[in-house]
Amino acid sequence: KAFLEGRELSDLLGAMDSRAVGCHTTLTVKNTFICVVETEAASPISGISRRRSKTEGDYLCCLEPESADPVCEADDVQVPTDRLAALGVALQVGEARASSACAEIRDSARSLAFDAAGSHLLQQAMELSGAQFAHDVAMALQGLIPQAVCSQNAHKVVESLVPRLDVEVLAGIVHELIGHSSRLSMHAFGSSLLCRLFEHLPADTVVVALIDEVLSHDVTQLICHKFGHMVALSILRNGLPRHRSKLAEVLSGELQRFARHRFASLVLALALSQCIAKEAHGLAIALMGQAGAVSSLACHSFGLRVVRALLELPSAAEQVRFYLLKSSRRLQKDKFGAHLLDELSAPNKTMVNLVGHIGGA
């Protein structure tokens, strides 16, 4: 209380910066009441970053360590910047010099992967070298895969390895990701790698186990997340029938909400085409069950893509078309609805499938 009295918010944050070493401090500001809570002990930190978010009408300002790429092992050789430039030139020259450069790059792969210039060199060397080089890089990164996937530099190296590795080595990479799938599926870089793995090894036992783990967590959060929904889309395209059924089950819980959600509507639209006929028909019937639901969705920037998916579904297309024409007067007054009516009234034109397009506000 004595610490807070008579303090401006800016002064308070500055004072907390100096006291933040050794703890993770959360400052909650609600109306005019300020509460400082020490949540957990933490190791000394070198920098503080502020994050501002709005949740349930409150504003959170959290003081937490700045994220950084993992530090490579102490015995790894750090390649000087001028040497990196020389290796890049050698790769462009080709022949013997390129071969020698690739060998040096391979030997330093563990540290180069987390460096911006080093990551680029590794990708260049992989383009020039064969499968053995990719195998050696994968072995060098063994034990660091979860950290590498979340690194802004190293994740590019790991993604470049996916199409170049044999099934056994790639399964080893996937095995390292098990236990981290909840975090990675909603991470900017992690979600991209998961999608590539699902596409490359959809039926592999370890990949199936990874998908099972992803779907064992909060699937609603996944399909509504900026990056997580892309993982859900990849599961719909490449997963097993039981994985599609799990997504269909979650979608059916709040259909009208998901149909109007920026990201979940993409998942719902794809589910209508990828799930088995019985499940897709069940989703369609539930969507059309509410009075005026189809015309309402047709006038919504994100709901429109769901209506287009319904029009592509043989078991529901005729009924959806009937609802749209019945509400044509309302649709003509709306930008999205009028555009959809134009598509329906053009018999010689193929309806543009914009299910995968992200638009609107």
Side-chain angles (χ1 to χ4, degrees), residues 216-237:
S216 69
H217 297 102
D218 189 347
V219 180
T220 298
Q221 184 182 13
L222 181 77
I223 64 179
C224 293
H225 193 271
K226 179 179 181 180
F227 303 117
H229 85 280
M230 294 188 290
V231 175
L233 292 173
S234 183
I235 292 174
L236 283 172
R237 295 188 184 101

Side-chain angles (χ1 to χ4, degrees), residues 4 22 25 33 51 68 118 151 155 176 230 269 280 290 299 318 329:
L4 295 175
T25 307
F33 177 74
R51 160 173 105 238
S151 163
H155 85 276
E176 284 196 49
M230 294 188 290
Q290 183 177 327
C299 295
E318 184 177 349
R329 182 172 298 180

Side-chain angles (χ1 to χ4, degrees), residues 256-278:
Q256 296 299 326
R257 173 199 167 199
F258 292 143
R260 292 169 174 81
H261 191 277
R262 181 183 184 93
F263 304 119
S265 59
L266 291 168
V267 181
L268 176 55
L270 187 63
L272 288 169
S273 64
Q274 295 292 327
C275 291
I276 61 174
K278 181 180 179 180

Side-chain angles (χ1 to χ4, degrees), residues 64-79:
E64 57 184 13
E66 293 178 347
S67 59
D69 280 353
V71 180
C72 29
E73 300 295 333
D75 58 352
D76 287 340
V77 179
Q78 300 296 315
V79 183

Side-chain angles (χ1 to χ4, degrees), residues 172-188:
I173 290 179
V174 177
H175 185 73
E176 284 196 49
L177 299 180
I178 292 179
H180 304 274
S181 63
S182 178
R183 176 172 60 97
L184 295 179
S185 61
M186 286 176 280
H187 188 278

Side-chain angles (χ1 to χ4, degrees), residues 13 129 136 201 224 242 267 296 311:
L13 289 175
S129 307
D136 293 340
L201 291 175
C224 293
R242 74 167 186 265
V267 181
S296 177
L311 286 167

